[in-house]
Amino acid sequence: MIAPPGTQWLGLGQGSEMAAANIFIMYSASSSNITVSPRLGKGNFEPLFNPSAQITVLEGSGISESGLMTANVRCDSCLNWGAGSVSIDNTKSAWIWSAHYGDPVNSANTTEILPQHNEMGRFTLDLQAATGGNGPNPFQGLSNATASNETSSSSSSTSSSLSNDSVSTTHRRAHAILMSLSFAFLLPLTALTLYPPTTRKILYIHAPLQLLTLTLVIAGMGLGISMARSLHELSNYHPIIGLVTVSLLVLFQPALGFWQHLHFRRHAAPSRSIGFTHRWLGRTLIVLGVVNGGLGFKLAGPVGSDNVPRWAVIVYGVVAGVVAVIYFGVVVFNMGRQGAKERLKGEGMMRRAEEKRYSQMVGEGGYGYGGAGGMGQGAYAMNRLGREGERMG
């Protein structure tokens, strides 16, 4: 492993991705010595120290006066490292690499916490051709000129790829902000715009705000897909749940809302079945999106790392919890208010029906029957109507 001056650390790993990769990280122990830390990748976050690795740092390792870092390493556990294995006959073995540029680490601690890489890449290696000499140190034959040439080419490629990785860091943050803002805040709160007692609230308030939020969701999904493809993580649980959730949200919710609007215009009343489906599908997808946001934090790394600051997780949880309380509070209050209206409406209808029936009885008593019997029935109806009026008054 050879790193140009200005490299804080360089990592080399066996595998096609960080998860289950057998990784070796080189950084400075002092101004002239290096530390090689064997680590095991668990996901897209800082790999952990692997105490089971059997490595030996050979002669020729160290830091030159110009700042060139070199690590000649013999690995006796690289054919099978528990989480993976490789055959020495493999002509296209998968490898990954990453680097961070900055001030020297200057630590002999093999469990040193390191900042995230500035750049990364993948390559394949023909293990049949990668053979050394017969001596205990096959790197002794490597000339300084070869090392210098490799360093120069590596240094020239560094400047062109730094900006690309900084953009991916920006993409990661933008994805987290857009999706968290949309699912934990905007979607549930803009859904509540159905409840204020304003006219034409759906056409001018609810629909535009929901469509604007869906635009943010689509932008966040695009960033997520881009990152998942570059990291070969499209088959992971987080992007799969995200794709399903966003697809259902974008394809069905606007269509159901528009269908309900057309039904109202044609029949002067909303459809119970369409409204029920629209409401509960939306609520289910919002909850699924909020949960998937937490899974996204888990995928990005352990809480407290550079990728997942502890404060970000706390803010996300607090905002989601407060918005959930507000949302369900408004929904329950509105359900109670609607129930009260229905009860009052039912009582009014019953009262009008009773009054109509009593009026009919008065008519029947005064004109439908003759003699004392007819008058008696009429008097009875009048007395009952009077008592009912007193009770209602």
Side-chain angles (χ1 to χ4, degrees):
M1 299 169 62
I2 301 174
T7 304
Q8 186 178 89
W9 60 261
L10 174 67
L12 183 66
Q14 292 176 275
S16 59
E17 57 184 5
M18 287 188 67
N22 189 31
I23 301 173
F24 307 93
I25 302 180
M26 172 183 66
Y27 47 88
S28 63
S30 63
S31 59
S32 58
N33 294 323
I34 54 101
T35 298
V36 177
S37 173
R39 305 196 178 195
L40 189 62
K42 297 290 187 179
N44 292 320
F45 50 89
E46 184 175 1
L48 305 177
F49 174 71
N50 182 13
S52 301
Q54 302 174 20
I55 66 168
T56 305
V57 179
L58 303 176
E59 185 180 354
S61 303
I63 304 176
S64 67
E65 294 182 358
S66 63
L68 180 72
M69 283 197 299
T70 303
N72 297 328
V73 182
R74 171 179 170 173
C75 178
D76 295 315
S77 57
C78 284
L79 295 181
N80 190 329
W81 58 91
S85 62
V86 68
S87 170
I88 58 174
D89 297 324
N90 194 333
T91 59
K92 290 185 178 181
S93 62
W95 293 74
I96 58 175
W97 66 272
S98 59
H100 182 86
Y101 303 96
D103 297 330
V105 178
N106 289 338
S107 173
N109 184 8
T110 53
T111 62
E112 186 74 26
I113 298 177
L114 302 171
Q116 188 180 4
H117 55 74
N118 294 127
E119 62 174 341
M120 55 176 283
R122 293 176 174 82
F123 65 94
T124 59
L125 182 64
D126 184 354
L127 296 183
Q128 292 185 4
T131 56
N134 296 325
N137 188 353
F139 301 103
Q140 287 180 339
L142 184 65
S143 66
N144 291 332
T146 304
S148 178
N149 290 336
E150 292 179 357
T151 302
S152 299
S153 61
S154 174
S155 178
S156 63
S157 64
T158 297
S159 59
S160 62
S161 58
L162 275 174
S163 59
N164 293 333
D165 191 76
S166 64
V167 169
S168 73
T169 302
T170 304
H171 285 177
R172 187 186 308 110
R173 293 173 180 172
H175 171 73
I177 292 172
L178 287 174
M179 290 310 216
S180 300
L181 182 65
S182 298
F183 280 95
F185 188 78
L186 291 176
L187 281 174
L189 291 185
T190 55
L192 296 180
T193 55
L194 284 173
Y195 297 110
T198 58
T199 59
R200 303 182 72 83
K201 55 194 174 186
I202 294 179
L203 186 60
Y204 293 114
I205 300 176
H206 178 74
L209 290 178
Q210 291 274 281
L211 290 175
L212 177 62
T213 305
L214 284 183
T215 302
L216 299 180
V217 170
I218 293 172
M221 182 181 69
L223 292 172
I225 293 175
S226 175
M227 290 188 300
R229 289 183 61 185
S230 63
L231 295 173
H232 300 278
E233 293 286 355
L234 279 175
S235 60
N236 198 287
Y237 54 86
H238 176 67
I240 290 176
I241 295 174
L243 284 170
V244 172
T245 302
V246 174
S247 298
L248 292 175
L249 192 67
V250 172
L251 293 177
F252 290 98
Q253 283 301 92
L256 287 171
F258 184 68
W259 191 9
Q260 177 76 307
H261 178 66
L262 291 180
H263 187 279
F264 185 85
R265 293 190 63 180
R266 291 173 181 172
H267 304 281
S271 167
R272 290 185 177 272
S273 59
I274 298 175
F276 180 86
T277 305
H278 184 60
R279 286 192 303 272
W280 282 103
L281 178 61
R283 292 167 183 172
T284 302
L285 294 177
I286 289 173
V287 172
L288 193 59
V290 172
V291 172
N292 198 39
L295 296 176
F297 283 127
K298 180 182 178 181
L299 179 63
V303 176
S305 63
D306 290 340
N307 283 352
V308 189
R310 190 175 301 275
W311 65 264
V313 178
I314 294 174
V315 169
Y316 181 78
V318 170
V319 171
V322 170
V323 171
V325 171
I326 294 174
Y327 180 86
F328 286 107
V330 172
V331 170
V332 171
F333 174 78
N334 184 74
M335 290 173 62
R337 188 178 64 177
Q338 291 293 334
K341 287 183 178 180
E342 292 294 331
R343 287 193 298 271
L344 290 175
K345 183 179 178 181
E347 291 176 359
M349 294 177 63
M350 291 179 62
R351 186 178 303 169
R352 288 190 294 272
E354 287 291 327
E355 292 175 352
K356 182 177 180 181
R357 185 165 63 89
Y358 293 155
S359 298
Q360 291 175 348
M361 291 176 65
V362 170
E364 291 173 356
Y367 301 100
Y369 300 92
M375 292 297 294
Q377 290 183 357
Y380 171 78
M382 289 293 292
N383 289 335
R384 181 162 183 185
L385 182 59
R387 289 197 303 272
E388 182 65 20
E390 291 176 359
R391 184 182 66 81
M392 292 172 62

